[in-house]
Amino acid sequence: MKNFFLIFQKEFRSYFNSPIAFVVITIFLILSGYFFHGIFLNFSTISFQVATNAILARQNNQLNVTEMVVRPFFDIISMVMLIMLPMLTMRMFSEEKKSGTIELLLTYPVKDSEVILGKFAGCMGIFTIMVLLTVPCFILIGLFGEPELGVVLSGYVGLFCMGAAFISLGIFASSITENQIIAAVLSFASLLIFLMMGYSASFASESLGNVLKYLSFMPHMYNSFAKGVLDTEDIIYYVLFTLFCIFLNMRSLESKKWRG
Amino acid sequence: MIEVENLTKKYGNARGINDVTFTVEKGEILGFLGPNGAGKTTTMRIITCFMPATSGKARVAGFDVFEDSLEVRKRIGYLPESVPLYTDMQVPVYLEFVGGLKGVDRRDIKRRVGQIIDDCGLNAVTKKYIGELSKGYRQRVGLAQALINDPEVLILDEPTIGLDPKQIIEIRSLIKGLGGRRTVILSTHILPEVSMTCQRVIIINEGRLVAVDTPQNLTAQLQKSQQIIVRIGGPEKEVLSEVGKINNVSRVAIKENGTDGVNTYLVEFKKDSDGGKDIPPVIVRKNWALYEMRPIGMSLEDIFIKLVTEEKIH
């Protein structure tokens, strides 16, 4: 436990010793802020048109700030996460392998699991800061409309679950190569596949389609958390995904023991 | 303290080390010598649990490196050859991190880091990031991290590489001071370093153990004859014939022609004879002048080259 905390602390700090944390968080906020601006502006334009036009008002009787701003914004944040999180995770093990520091780290009396979980937690720390900095956007929505607090909260829970899954996959990708670019590309590509997998469901047979849908990130975010539904099925999905990646990661660290 | 039995490591079909066996006693400083690619680093990596062996066993303080890896790692301080450190950390922060991982008590860590910073001469760089340090200072930080938890066993892969002469002397005396309380394995290219710091030497070549002994014994074993250099002032021809008559002398030759009839001679005796003592009486009897007389031992360089080229001790 002590070792886990030490590694967590070291990883968390090291993001701030280099400009990585600042650059990634800033760009994340610029991108999500830009899209938020677009979504919100679009909503206010429609609202204005509806308010001044009785016919439109009758057609758009579901003009709802939660449906039209909060939900799309969560979608966008998860997309931006997909781009930014591999940048945070790519260095985790590959940098240690390249610089050789892994040789010292693994000869300290530390368990592999403590190393992996410490790194995972360090990355989650940065991710938490990053995501919490989007709270002002929701405060802004609150100033001008009445978003449902429950949906906002469940949306954040969803983002955390998703972030944990993204990060665990990214760290695993980083543990199998000493090249950071390869680690980033691998995790980016596999995240994208997991995100989009659900689309292939419509071309596959029903049973395979269901499997694909279940494996995909999409239905576990957009149809549930972003709608204000906290379904145990979705939470279990993300927890299992994360644990599986951490398990693979442990095996990949261990593999040096049986590979020549 | 360290027992290595029939250790073999294969990289694919290439052999890293082959059937290496040796033991290191508690408190001993063992020198590990060998040309590049001989298997020094591989052996060290196996003992430090970074890499498993293909076959064979290695035990540190009675714990198997594969079965009880964590127990072994608690007792080891390791300095890899490339001195890999986290460049984005400040020196004391880094040492506190390592100390914590290596089980130094949290309440004691500040004092311990302060002490190790003093011991390794790092006071001048406590505000700096490791990435900013020169090679010499990095080496010291590397040594400091190995020593931070006061380990029983120290494994140092070329600890004096890249240091300036003054630092080399400091580090060597530091390592020498570690012996007795701690068991040290030290690999190096620099041969005099071994004769200066180590009580025993292992010479390894192409993954095989070529020799294990004290530097003195190795010298004695390998020398086929004993040689003495004498500088004598006297008539050249007479010196050659008179010295040649001494018991056990197998050869006398002029090594260097000097001025005023003072020449340097090389006298070779048969092995295991103590013929040196017979030279001065001859000189005194003949009323010549004796300027210098010294034995030439085989240096570790000679032994090393001999062993790695011959591969066998006869």
Side-chain angles (χ1 to χ4, degrees):
Chain A
M1 196 59 203
K2 193 188 93 191
N3 291 340
F4 159 76
F5 185 71
L6 281 166
I7 291 172
F8 159 72
Q9 198 182 23
K10 185 232 144 211
E11 290 299 334
F12 187 76
R13 273 194 201 170
S14 79
Y15 276 117
F16 291 98
N17 285 339
S18 63
I20 300 175
F22 299 104
V23 170
V24 169
I25 292 177
T26 309
I27 291 178
F28 172 79
L29 290 178
I30 289 174
L31 285 177
S32 50
Y34 171 77
F35 290 120
F36 172 71
H37 169 257
I39 295 167
F40 206 24
L41 209 63
N42 185 39
F43 178 70
S44 68
T45 315
I46 295 174
S47 308
F48 181 73
Q49 284 170 348
V50 168
T52 51
N53 191 324
I55 302 164
L56 273 180
R58 225 167 290 136
Q59 288 168 351
N60 280 296
N61 53 2
Q62 284 176 328
L63 204 58
N64 177 328
V65 75
T66 309
E67 276 298 301
M68 293 189 67
V69 180
V70 174
R71 274 189 68 186
F73 187 45
F74 276 123
D75 294 357
I76 289 294
I77 294 179
S78 61
M79 282 296 179
V80 181
M81 264 162 54
L82 180 97
I83 303 166
M84 302 313 287
L85 287 184
M87 308 297 156
L88 283 182
T89 54
M90 67 180 192
R91 52 182 280 279
M92 278 302 185
F93 279 102
S94 48
E95 196 181 32
E96 299 234 23
K97 283 187 171 182
K98 191 128 206 162
S99 67
T101 47
I102 192 113
E103 187 171 347
L104 273 182
L105 187 63
L106 296 183
T107 51
Y108 293 148
V110 186
K111 289 184 192 128
D112 286 1
S113 56
E114 290 170 331
V115 173
I116 294 166
L117 291 176
K119 282 176 179 289
F120 175 73
C123 206
M124 280 301 280
I126 302 292
F127 167 68
T128 308
I129 294 176
M130 193 164 111
V131 163
L132 288 184
L133 285 173
T134 59
V135 168
C137 296
F138 292 98
I139 295 176
L140 267 180
I141 302 175
L143 287 180
F144 298 103
E146 285 168 358
E148 291 168 49
L149 194 62
V151 176
V152 174
L153 290 180
S154 83
Y156 272 114
V157 173
L159 286 185
F160 273 105
C161 288
M162 233 175 162
F166 285 14
I167 287 171
S168 61
L169 183 81
I171 296 179
F172 167 58
S174 151
S175 77
I176 56 180
T177 170
E178 62 174 42
N179 188 314
Q180 295 197 30
I181 311 272
I182 293 177
V185 169
L186 269 181
S187 54
F188 182 70
S190 32
L191 287 178
L192 205 61
I193 284 178
F194 270 108
L195 197 74
M196 298 304 183
M197 204 180 257
Y199 285 125
S200 336
S202 46
F203 306 112
S205 69
E206 203 190 327
S207 48
L208 182 64
N210 282 338
V211 172
L212 288 176
K213 247 190 228 159
Y214 186 79
L215 285 180
S216 171
F217 287 133
M218 283 275 217
H220 297 288
M221 177 70 195
Y222 306 127
N223 301 335
S224 58
F225 292 115
K227 275 187 177 166
V229 182
L230 283 181
D231 192 339
T232 43
E233 181 193 318
D234 303 309
I235 294 174
I236 287 171
Y237 167 80
Y238 284 114
V239 169
L240 282 182
F241 191 96
T242 308
L243 287 180
F244 184 62
C245 287
I246 289 174
F247 166 79
L248 289 180
N249 202 336
M250 288 185 63
R251 293 292 89 89
S252 108
L253 275 198
E254 214 179 79
S255 71
K256 72 177 168 56
K257 295 215 158 77
W258 46 261
R259 278 197 316 209
Chain B
M1 199 62 178
I2 302 172
E3 299 149 75
V4 173
E5 277 170 37
N6 309 99
L7 211 59
T8 300
K9 173 78 188 174
K10 289 182 195 166
Y11 296 103
N13 283 328
R15 268 168 194 260
I17 52 171
N18 193 0
D19 206 15
V20 169
T21 304
F22 63 89
T23 56
V24 192
E25 297 303 320
K26 193 172 164 60
E28 196 176 24
I29 303 181
L30 178 86
F32 223 65
L33 273 177
N36 288 323
K40 299 184 298 258
T41 302
T42 304
T43 314
M44 291 187 155
R45 282 183 168 170
I46 293 170
I47 298 173
T48 54
C49 313
F50 179 63
M51 217 185 232
T54 312
S55 66
K57 273 201 180 318
R59 273 189 300 273
V60 175
F63 295 101
D64 188 273
V65 292
F66 194 74
E67 306 290 335
D68 288 309
S69 155
L70 225 50
E71 290 299 318
V72 171
R73 287 185 272 163
K74 272 182 200 160
R75 290 167 171 78
I76 275 185
Y78 179 37
L79 174 65
E81 191 182 355
S82 59
V83 197
L85 305 168
Y86 296 110
T87 49
D88 57 358
M89 291 175 98
Q90 281 175 310
V91 176
V93 177
Y94 173 70
L95 291 176
E96 273 175 41
F97 168 65
V98 176
L101 288 185
K102 291 177 103 177
V104 178
D105 195 69
R106 199 152 46 88
R107 282 156 296 181
D108 203 32
I109 189 97
K110 289 261 191 256
R111 190 194 59 79
R112 183 71 195 140
V113 166
Q115 190 190 337
I116 208 84
I117 281 176
D118 277 345
D119 287 353
C120 297
L122 287 166
N123 279 306
V125 295
T126 49
K127 295 269 184 306
K128 287 200 173 173
Y129 286 93
I130 293 172
E132 300 172 325
L133 299 182
S134 66
K135 175 79 178 136
Y137 272 116
R138 276 186 203 214
Q139 198 79 29
R140 289 173 191 218
V141 177
L143 206 58
Q145 65 82 27
L147 287 167
I148 187 89
N149 62 333
D150 208 7
E152 294 168 58
V153 177
L154 263 182
I155 296 186
L156 310 171
D157 205 349
E158 315 226 350
T160 56
I161 212 165
L163 299 177
D164 66 40
K166 190 169 154 278
Q167 293 169 332
I168 289 182
I169 292 168
E170 284 172 16
I171 295 284
R172 269 183 207 157
S173 65
L174 187 69
I175 293 169
K176 226 175 166 176
L178 294 172
R181 284 183 297 140
R182 269 169 279 219
T183 313
V184 183
I185 297 187
L186 144 103
S187 87
T188 180
H189 282 311
I190 310 163
L191 297 157
E193 193 163 285
V194 172
S195 33
M196 265 182 258
T197 47
C198 302
Q199 289 135 10
R200 250 176 3 126
V201 192
I202 284 185
I203 298 179
I204 188 170
N205 186 37
E206 287 170 3
R208 280 169 195 281
L209 217 64
V210 204
V212 192
D213 217 327
T214 61
Q216 294 77 12
N217 279 354
L218 279 177
T219 317
Q221 249 181 319
L222 282 166
Q223 229 160 6
K224 291 196 177 76
S225 58
Q226 201 188 353
Q227 294 178 321
I228 288 178
I229 296 260
V230 244
R231 242 170 94 212
I232 302 169
E236 196 181 300
K237 276 192 180 150
E238 211 180 331
V239 172
L240 284 176
S241 70
E242 285 297 320
V243 176
K245 280 183 209 157
I246 297 172
N247 248 351
N248 282 330
V249 169
S250 55
R251 195 168 71 95
V252 191
I254 295 183
K255 197 161 188 267
E256 222 174 280
N257 276 310
T259 49
D260 304 330
V262 182
N263 295 331
T264 310
Y265 301 87
L266 178 75
V267 186
E268 242 181 64
F269 290 91
K270 285 170 196 140
K271 206 181 168 187
D272 299 328
S273 64
D274 189 16
K277 67 179 186 345
D278 297 331
I279 300 177
V282 174
I283 294 169
V284 171
R285 186 157 44 85
K286 291 281 171 186
N287 211 13
W288 298 328
L290 174 64
Y291 290 90
E292 187 189 356
M293 182 169 157
R294 64 183 158 90
I296 13 178
M298 217 174 169
S299 71
L300 211 49
E301 265 95 344
D302 303 326
I303 298 169
F304 180 69
I305 288 165
K306 209 166 171 138
L307 283 176
V308 300
T309 46
E310 283 182 8
E311 286 212 25
K312 252 186 198 163
I313 308 173
H314 300 290

